[in-house]
Amino acid sequence: MTSSAVTPAFDAAAVARQFPILQREIDGRRIVYLDSGATAQKPAAVIEEIERSLRLHNANIHRGVYALAQEATERFEGARATIARFIGAAPAETIFTKNVTEAINLVAYAWGRRNVGAGDTIVLTPMEHHANIVPWQQLAREVGARLAYVALTEDGRIDLDSLDALLAREPKLVAVAHVSNVLGTVNPVEEIVRRAHAAGAVVLVDGAQAVPQRPVDVAAIGADFYGFTGHKVYGPTGIGVLHGRRELLEAMDPFLTGGDMIGSVDFEASTWKELPWKFEAGTTPYIEATALGTAVRWLDGLGREAVHAHEHALVRYALERLAEVPGLRVFGPPAEHRGALISFALDGVHPHDVAEVLGRRQVCVRAGHHCAQPLMRRLGVPATTRASFAAHTTRADVDALVEGLHEVRRIFRL
């Protein structure tokens, strides 16, 4: 067996010690957490920030003039500024949502229903998460638009010739994942945006898998909308981010209406606040937003380039080790085009059974269709098993996965 060296300067084992949950043992075994693509574990810094906010700074934002309320507001808006810098955006273009699913729905309703009409085309890819398919299906059904899907290459990458053919139809929108949550494919989003804009299309990028794994600069990417989910970036659940191009956001009506997003309310009509607040109706999850600000500062402190290099080297190592397992099929492109996850199937064993046996050894992986049923149909499988990596993942974690897969083969007498 050959092996790829993980970046020497990056000590993943030391990073792992910052995660309280990874210090647990269950049934005498340490936790090998390989499901960060579903949700990331939280470092102590984030957990402590949530407790600090609740213990010392809890008050509703934007409304009170007393000291606690002013502190909470400053911490909340400070987190927005931190997160905006983290992705290369302006705070006014950085909207807090519940998650990336809500961010995409916001665009589908507030931009889509004003700009997409009967006969218009929406271009998607077969590798999209349901969150980047179903809202567009609903929009197309309501307004009479049609969906078109870009072809994929044999190794699970976007066929750019197919994209160009669809762009020739002058679609209104192209919606694409930055990194596939099943194939791990890192899509060339800057090139896709360039081609789509040349064809007059607006572009939305689902960055849920990308932002935790690699440096993201939304200005350099150039997408009109870019969304991600906080709980995959080592932050809490219940918070997500939508970046939008200012002129588009200003032209859009609010997705949700009610308190805090209004300029004024009369008996017959209302006006809205300026960006970004007109899209943040009600009490925004300010505790979660503040903790997400802490999470991205923590990730920045590790060095995003160093995390990316570590995870990329780890994927190479994992692909080499998985090749040792007889009857195992890996889905997706080679390492140079892949993010920090690997989906696979073991001949003769259902992915859920694979995950169950691994789970007995406290190797935590995800099995199922990964909210990507159309892609599963393209792959010709009902489900896959997925291992996804994080800053704390070590080569020993990968070795535990491979040892567990050999145990699966022994149990099923393969």
Side-chain angles (χ1 to χ4, degrees):
M1 179 194 76
T2 60
S3 64
S4 300
V6 177
T7 307
F10 192 87
D11 188 346
V15 174
R17 290 193 287 273
Q18 298 184 48
F19 290 77
I21 202 168
L22 299 181
Q23 311 317 306
R24 286 192 63 190
E25 287 190 353
I26 300 177
D27 296 332
R29 291 181 178 271
R30 72 181 183 92
I31 294 172
V32 178
Y33 190 76
L34 300 176
D35 198 20
S36 295
T39 194
Q41 296 299 344
K42 318 308 172 194
V46 171
I47 298 168
E48 290 162 4
E49 183 59 58
I50 294 171
E51 181 183 12
R52 185 181 303 112
S53 291
L54 290 170
R55 188 181 293 276
L56 299 176
H57 305 289
N58 185 45
N60 212 328
I61 56 172
H62 296 156
R63 301 174 189 185
V65 296
Y66 50 90
L68 278 180
Q70 291 177 344
E71 287 175 3
T73 298
E74 289 169 3
R75 286 160 59 81
F76 171 74
E77 294 297 346
R80 189 196 306 276
T82 296
I83 294 162
R85 283 193 299 273
F86 184 76
I87 60 171
E93 297 174 324
T94 305
I95 297 160
F96 286 121
T97 61
K98 182 171 62 178
N99 44 41
V100 73
T101 300
E102 184 177 279
I104 295 170
N105 275 273
L106 189 161
V107 177
Y109 279 84
W111 178 86
R113 281 155 180 77
R114 171 173 286 196
N115 292 281
V116 179
D120 287 337
T121 299
I122 298 168
V123 173
L124 308 174
T125 84
M127 68 177 73
E128 299 309 309
H129 189 284
H130 294 164
N132 207 20
I133 294 177
V134 179
W136 309 117
Q137 290 176 338
Q138 293 295 101
L139 173 61
R141 184 176 298 113
E142 287 182 26
V143 304
R146 54 178 177 253
L147 305 181
Y149 288 85
V150 180
L152 301 182
T153 63
E154 285 297 317
D155 64 356
R157 290 183 284 159
I158 287 177
D159 184 327
L160 292 176
D161 289 338
S162 171
L163 173 66
D164 286 341
L166 293 180
L167 291 176
R169 301 185 192 178
E170 300 183 346
K172 286 294 182 71
L173 176 79
V174 175
V176 60
H178 194 160
V179 175
S180 166
N181 76 313
V182 174
L183 301 172
T185 307
V186 180
N187 287 317
V189 288
E190 290 186 36
E191 178 63 17
I192 291 168
V193 169
R194 186 188 67 78
R195 296 186 186 203
H197 281 173
V202 166
V203 183
L204 177 141
V205 176
D206 173 2
Q209 296 295 330
V211 173
Q213 300 178 13
R214 58 204 309 107
V216 168
D217 183 338
V218 295
I221 292 168
D224 302 283
F225 299 103
Y226 192 106
F228 68 95
T229 289
H231 69 89
K232 298 183 193 294
V233 197
Y234 307 100
T237 57
I239 191 74
V241 173
L242 173 67
H243 160 74
R245 190 152 54 86
R246 185 177 191 119
E247 54 267 37
L248 295 180
L249 294 174
E250 287 178 339
M252 290 158 52
D253 290 326
F255 172 42
L256 299 172
T257 55
D260 207 34
M261 51 72 64
I262 54 89
S264 64
V265 177
D266 208 335
F267 287 105
E268 302 297 333
S270 302
T271 61
W272 320 130
K273 278 186 178 176
E274 296 178 349
L275 293 175
W277 304 290
K278 82 169 182 178
F279 292 107
E280 295 177 355
T283 297
T284 311
Y286 54 90
I287 301 293
E288 291 81 356
T290 303
L292 180 56
T294 297
V296 302
R297 282 195 300 273
W298 175 85
L299 187 53
D300 249 346
L302 296 180
R304 280 185 282 171
E305 291 287 0
V307 171
H308 179 223
H310 162 70
E311 293 179 354
H312 184 65
L314 202 63
V315 165
R316 287 185 178 276
Y317 177 70
L319 289 171
E320 292 168 359
R321 291 295 329 265
L322 290 169
E324 301 171 10
V325 181
L328 187 136
R329 175 188 176 193
V330 171
F331 299 95
E336 60 265 28
H337 300 292
R338 182 186 288 271
L341 62 88
I342 301 172
S343 291
F344 55 86
L346 188 59
D347 288 347
V349 188
H350 194 281
H352 289 144
D353 293 327
V354 173
E356 196 276 331
V357 174
L358 291 173
R360 295 178 199 170
R361 303 168 68 92
Q362 306 314 320
V363 176
C364 307
V365 296
R366 177 58 57 95
H369 55 65
H370 313 296
C371 295
Q373 289 178 321
L375 179 58
M376 293 295 143
R377 294 187 182 96
R378 288 287 181 96
L379 298 176
V381 295
T384 68
T385 305
R386 183 186 70 189
S388 48
F389 308 140
H392 55 70
T393 308
T394 64
R395 283 168 47 135
D397 294 334
V398 173
D399 294 340
L401 168 66
V402 174
E403 290 165 10
L405 290 170
H406 286 302
E407 176 67 11
V408 174
R409 296 189 76 253
R410 284 191 291 271
I411 289 173
F412 285 88
R413 299 179 180 179
L414 299 177

